[in-house]
Amino acid sequence: MTRNRIIQWIACLVLVASLTGTSLMVPAIDRQRGQLQLMGLGLDRGRNLGPKEIVANVFLATFRGIWVDYIWYRANRLKEEGKFFEINQLSEQITSLQPRFPQVWSFNAWNMAYNISVQTHTPDERWDWVNKGIAILRDKGIPYNPRSIRLYRELAWIFFHKCGQYSDDVHWYYKSRLAREWQEVLGAPTDGASKADVAAAMKKIVDAKDTLDEQIKAYPAMEPLVTKLRAMNYDIDQKLLIRIGQLLMFTYSPDVQYLGESKMIARLGPEQQALYAAITDPALAPGLEPLLSYLRKNTLINKYKMSPQYMLGLIELYGPIDWRHPAAHGLYWSSLGVKMAGDLRNKKDIDLLNTYRGILHALQELMFRGKIGFDPITGQIDLSPDPRFIDSYTAAMDRAGKELDIADVWGDGTVNSFAAGHENFLLAAVYFSYLYGDEAQAQKYLDEARAKYANRPENATKNTYTMPLADLVLREMYQNIDIMYYARQTIDGLVTQAIDKGLLASRPEVFNRFMSLAKSVYDKYQKESGGGAQTVGDRTRMGLPKWPDLFAETYIRMIRRPAPSPVTPFRLWSQTPPEIQRWVFDRLQGPMREIAQQVGFDPLVAFPEPSGMEQYRKDNPVTIDQSNTAKEGAAEIERK
């Protein structure tokens, strides 16, 4: 055997050994890829990737890894130097070269939403960068890495924390812009609507057809409206939905209700007037709802990468979710992340646990601050409690324990903090149920907390579960009144009691007592909350709205709630002191006129204008919000 032949045989043996070793390592590598969330939904490496990502990977070929290492090194150096805008440019290169690496997208989104945003100078600039952080995860990061629970968690956190919490100086601006955007897309707010009502509205979107022709075939009343809109040079697309959404949104503004529809239309531009005339034409109006359902479905899927069916499932599971709320989107992306993770993750992996925490935190936030009061004219927004999500939170806790397969979810194991959070939530539910006058419900939650947590070692030296219910409520009030959501909910609860047990019971002394207590809580919190940047209106970062505006939100909700008698709203109005009537009169004109017509009352008699109203309007002029859509839509509306 020649020397060359021996070398060839040795080479063949080395090749066979190498191939065998490689094949043996494949299962372990696949497991590690799963643990690191590097697996897509298919084996095709280029699947779902855009042209930019494919070209970048093919062009650099084997030099890709070297170039990526250099860019990462450079990005970290720039981060240490605080040069976040330069990092953003490098991050775009990294995401093109490593589209299947979740940490790249997470790093880039965080840099935009948190680092770059705070380097800008105006609220609008900040919101733009926060939106870019959201979009890069939602539009590219998650579609390229659909099983990466980390990316779902990061996206949920930007909504929940950056937009929904209070650490950013301009968080009220974020909340206002998000509410405006989603009211344009999905229409009327859900305040006062039941879970069935909200689910029925979403079901219309779910049932909409995938193509316009199919939707017209299913709903022939659409065809004349679509023909009219096309003749007006409108494409039947997302832009049309936003234009219609802007017009419909402004009809819900209290100031528009004060002005009346005719005055509102007179202040619109020619294009808006023509569109408004088309969608309200009695001959064409029957086609509007199915058209909006089609456009909303198309927009949710293609622009927001959200599933209407999954949104409906969350409503049916948890309650009447208001998609204008940041926590609603935190709930959606956290829940979807857990669902999409499937079997790729260890059940006790920290990303999975933290994503479950995202679900619970979102539900907790919806209970504490789930009702939105939003005026698109002024941009003012207020968040108040929604006790309907109390039971949803408890159910989600039980579901988390079962799905995570952790026997000690209520004990001292890996997720002991779940139990601590649930205990605090139950005590908050006790407090707010009592505050809103439902002592039986308060006692129910206290009994539940006592059964689960009274025997925990850390509670041995406390008397939380031995003191009477009323004493526990007083303790919670004094201990937590400096926390924003406690202060806001305490005020809302006290005003609710003032209206129910004072005005409606014709007991002005009770009304004045509760109002005085609510105002003292308001003044104490405002004094202790301190400064902060000016954001929406004249409201500070941690401040509450002006006292009349805060009271008005609760009063309007109370007067619009389902009543045992159709005359209840007018009886409440007749018992309300004139000073307070002036706070809410303009905002209630539309709803009260409708109620009066339904029961056959003369609105001018049943709902008379309070004395001093003209002077009140002069002293409290409306400030128009000049943010993007307000300029383009009906923000020309002004109070004379």
Side-chain angles (χ1 to χ4, degrees):
M1 183 178 293
T2 65
R3 181 172 179 274
N4 289 339
R5 180 66 65 182
I6 293 173
I7 293 175
Q8 290 174 351
W9 278 106
I10 293 174
C12 290
L13 291 173
V14 170
L15 176 62
V16 171
S18 299
L19 292 173
T20 302
T22 300
S23 63
L24 293 175
M25 293 177 66
V26 167
I29 292 173
D30 282 342
R31 283 194 299 271
Q32 289 181 349
R33 290 180 68 218
Q35 292 169 357
L36 292 173
Q37 302 175 350
L38 298 177
M39 300 177 71
L41 290 177
L43 298 177
D44 183 0
R45 187 179 174 190
R47 179 177 179 177
N48 296 329
L49 295 183
K52 180 180 177 182
E53 287 77 18
I54 294 175
V55 170
N57 282 271
V58 172
F59 180 75
L60 287 174
T62 56
F63 295 100
R64 183 174 68 99
I66 298 174
W67 182 244
V68 167
D69 287 342
Y70 169 74
I71 298 177
W72 269 113
Y73 170 76
R74 178 66 178 154
N76 283 318
R77 286 291 301 273
L78 291 172
K79 181 180 178 181
E80 294 172 1
E81 297 170 6
K83 297 178 179 179
F84 300 116
F85 286 95
E86 290 89 337
I87 293 175
N88 185 58
Q89 296 174 356
L90 289 178
S91 296
E92 290 181 0
Q93 296 184 44
I94 299 174
T95 53
S96 296
L97 293 169
Q98 291 186 301
R100 300 295 194 190
F101 188 41
Q103 284 84 339
V104 175
W105 300 101
S106 175
F107 176 86
N108 204 10
W110 182 275
N111 187 51
M112 291 177 175
Y114 282 87
N115 295 332
I116 297 180
S117 67
V118 298
Q119 301 291 319
T120 57
H121 304 291
T122 67
D124 197 55
E125 287 178 306
R126 284 198 181 190
W127 173 243
D128 182 57
W129 280 104
V130 171
N131 252 335
K132 287 178 179 177
I134 290 171
I136 196 172
L137 288 174
R138 183 189 63 205
D139 300 346
K140 289 188 175 182
I142 288 176
Y144 292 168
N145 303 274
R147 292 287 180 86
S148 172
I149 194 170
R150 175 176 184 165
L151 297 185
Y152 293 93
R153 177 172 59 83
E154 293 288 352
L155 179 54
W157 181 252
I158 293 176
F159 277 112
F160 175 82
H161 180 261
K162 187 67 175 179
C163 300
Q165 297 302 299
Y166 305 96
S167 59
D168 194 302
D169 286 347
V170 297
H171 68 87
W172 289 118
Y173 187 78
Y174 301 157
K175 292 175 175 64
S176 178
R177 289 297 300 274
L178 189 69
R180 181 187 300 278
E181 178 180 358
W182 280 90
Q183 193 164 328
E184 288 173 357
V185 172
L186 293 182
T190 58
D191 185 25
S194 67
K195 181 170 77 171
D197 293 334
V198 178
M202 182 57 66
K203 186 70 163 55
K204 293 177 182 177
I205 299 174
V206 172
D207 292 341
K209 306 302 180 183
D210 295 330
T211 68
L212 182 61
D213 289 341
E214 291 175 337
Q215 185 76 346
I216 292 175
K217 184 177 180 180
Y219 302 93
M222 272 180 60
E223 188 167 11
L225 178 59
V226 170
T227 301
K228 174 68 174 179
L229 291 171
R230 282 175 168 163
M232 297 169 66
N233 295 319
Y234 285 110
D235 293 325
I236 311 302
D237 58 11
Q238 298 171 16
K239 292 181 180 179
L240 175 61
L241 173 64
I242 299 306
R243 290 179 180 274
I244 295 176
Q246 288 171 1
L247 292 173
L248 296 179
M249 177 177 65
F250 281 94
T251 63
Y252 288 93
S253 168
D255 301 288
V256 169
Q257 293 171 2
Y258 158 69
L259 287 170
E261 182 178 308
S262 61
K263 291 184 179 180
M264 180 197 80
I265 295 172
R267 285 165 172 76
L268 296 175
E271 183 179 346
Q272 285 94 8
Q273 288 186 15
L275 179 58
Y276 190 79
I279 64 176
T280 57
D281 184 339
L284 303 176
L288 180 61
E289 186 173 305
L291 173 63
L292 289 176
S293 295
Y294 164 76
L295 291 173
R296 286 167 178 164
K297 181 175 184 178
N298 180 272
T299 300
L300 287 173
I301 294 173
N302 295 320
K303 180 178 180 181
Y304 293 102
K305 306 298 187 286
M306 296 174 71
S307 164
Q309 182 66 58
Y310 197 73
M311 295 168 75
L312 174 61
L314 291 179
I315 293 169
E316 293 173 338
L317 185 62
Y318 294 121
I321 297 170
D322 188 337
W323 297 101
R324 300 175 300 166
H325 200 294
H329 297 271
L331 175 63
Y332 177 91
W333 291 106
S334 293
S335 300
L336 188 61
V338 170
K339 177 178 181 292
M340 293 300 293
D343 298 327
L344 294 178
R345 304 303 310 216
N346 182 326
K347 288 293 185 180
K348 294 190 178 182
D349 182 270
I350 191 64
D351 278 342
L352 187 60
L353 294 175
N354 283 336
T355 306
Y356 263 104
R357 288 189 179 98
I359 296 173
L360 299 175
H361 289 162
L363 289 170
Q364 188 177 56
E365 183 74 5
L366 290 174
M367 190 281 273
F368 286 143
R369 294 178 285 269
K371 287 185 179 178
I372 291 182
F374 174 64
D375 184 351
I377 295 291
T378 65
Q380 287 286 348
I381 187 167
D382 183 43
L383 308 180
S384 57
D386 193 341
R388 294 176 294 181
F389 287 95
I390 293 177
D391 290 336
S392 298
Y393 179 93
T394 301
M397 278 292 305
D398 293 333
R399 190 176 301 109
K402 294 175 182 177
E403 293 184 4
L404 289 170
D405 296 332
I406 298 175
D408 60 351
V409 68
W410 303 113
D412 298 321
T414 306
V415 288
N416 187 42
S417 61
F418 274 50
H422 185 240
E423 181 181 8
N424 292 333
F425 181 86
L426 285 176
L427 292 177
V430 170
Y431 173 69
F432 292 121
S433 297
Y434 188 91
L435 199 63
Y436 281 89
D438 195 337
E439 293 187 28
Q441 181 171 277
Q443 188 64 53
K444 167 193 166 186
Y445 293 129
L446 179 57
D447 292 342
E448 183 178 347
R450 182 183 290 118
K452 279 188 167 75
Y453 304 114
N455 294 325
R456 297 182 71 190
E458 56 267 36
N459 288 329
T461 58
K462 301 178 183 177
N463 62 346
T464 299
Y465 298 110
T466 58
M467 66 173 60
L469 175 61
D471 292 345
L472 175 61
V473 169
L474 285 175
R475 189 195 73 173
E476 291 293 305
M477 175 184 291
Y478 290 126
Q479 285 184 350
N480 299 297
I481 203 64
D482 59 335
I483 301 174
M484 176 180 281
Y485 65 77
Y486 264 88
R488 180 64 186 90
Q489 292 170 321
T490 299
I491 293 166
D492 186 74
L494 292 171
V495 172
T496 298
Q497 295 286 24
I499 294 170
D500 271 341
K501 297 183 178 180
L503 295 182
L504 284 174
S506 299
R507 298 183 63 186
E509 74 284 359
V510 174
F511 173 77
N512 291 332
R513 185 168 69 249
F514 275 109
M515 283 290 288
S516 177
L517 183 56
K519 185 61 163 60
S520 67
V521 173
Y522 174 86
D523 290 339
K524 183 177 186 298
Y525 176 80
Q526 290 291 79
K527 181 179 179 180
E528 295 180 357
S529 63
Q534 299 293 320
T535 57
V536 179
D538 59 358
R539 189 172 180 180
T540 59
R541 179 173 69 89
M542 294 301 294
L544 296 170
K546 293 179 180 179
W547 171 245
D549 295 333
L550 198 70
F551 174 87
E553 286 295 334
T554 302
Y555 184 92
I556 292 168
R557 173 174 55 81
M558 296 287 287
I559 211 166
R560 297 182 69 174
R561 65 182 175 175
S565 168
V567 303
T568 298
F570 302 102
R571 185 163 63 85
L572 173 57
W573 181 254
S574 68
Q575 297 291 325
T576 303
E579 177 189 7
I580 295 176
Q581 287 183 338
R582 289 192 286 270
W583 296 351
V584 299
F585 178 74
D586 285 341
R587 301 178 62 177
L588 276 172
Q589 283 205 69
M592 292 297 274
R593 287 170 184 160
E594 292 178 8
I595 297 172
Q597 291 172 356
Q598 290 172 4
V599 297
F601 287 174
D602 182 347
L604 297 178
V605 175
F607 185 64
E609 180 173 309
S611 60
M613 197 66 218
E614 184 176 350
Q615 184 62 44
Y616 179 82
R617 294 186 184 115
K618 291 180 180 178
D619 295 338
N620 298 272
V622 174
T623 302
I624 303 297
D625 176 21
Q626 295 298 328
S627 60
N628 292 346
T629 54
K631 293 178 184 177
E632 299 171 0
E636 296 89 349
I637 299 169
E638 296 180 22
R639 180 180 291 165
K640 285 186 175 179

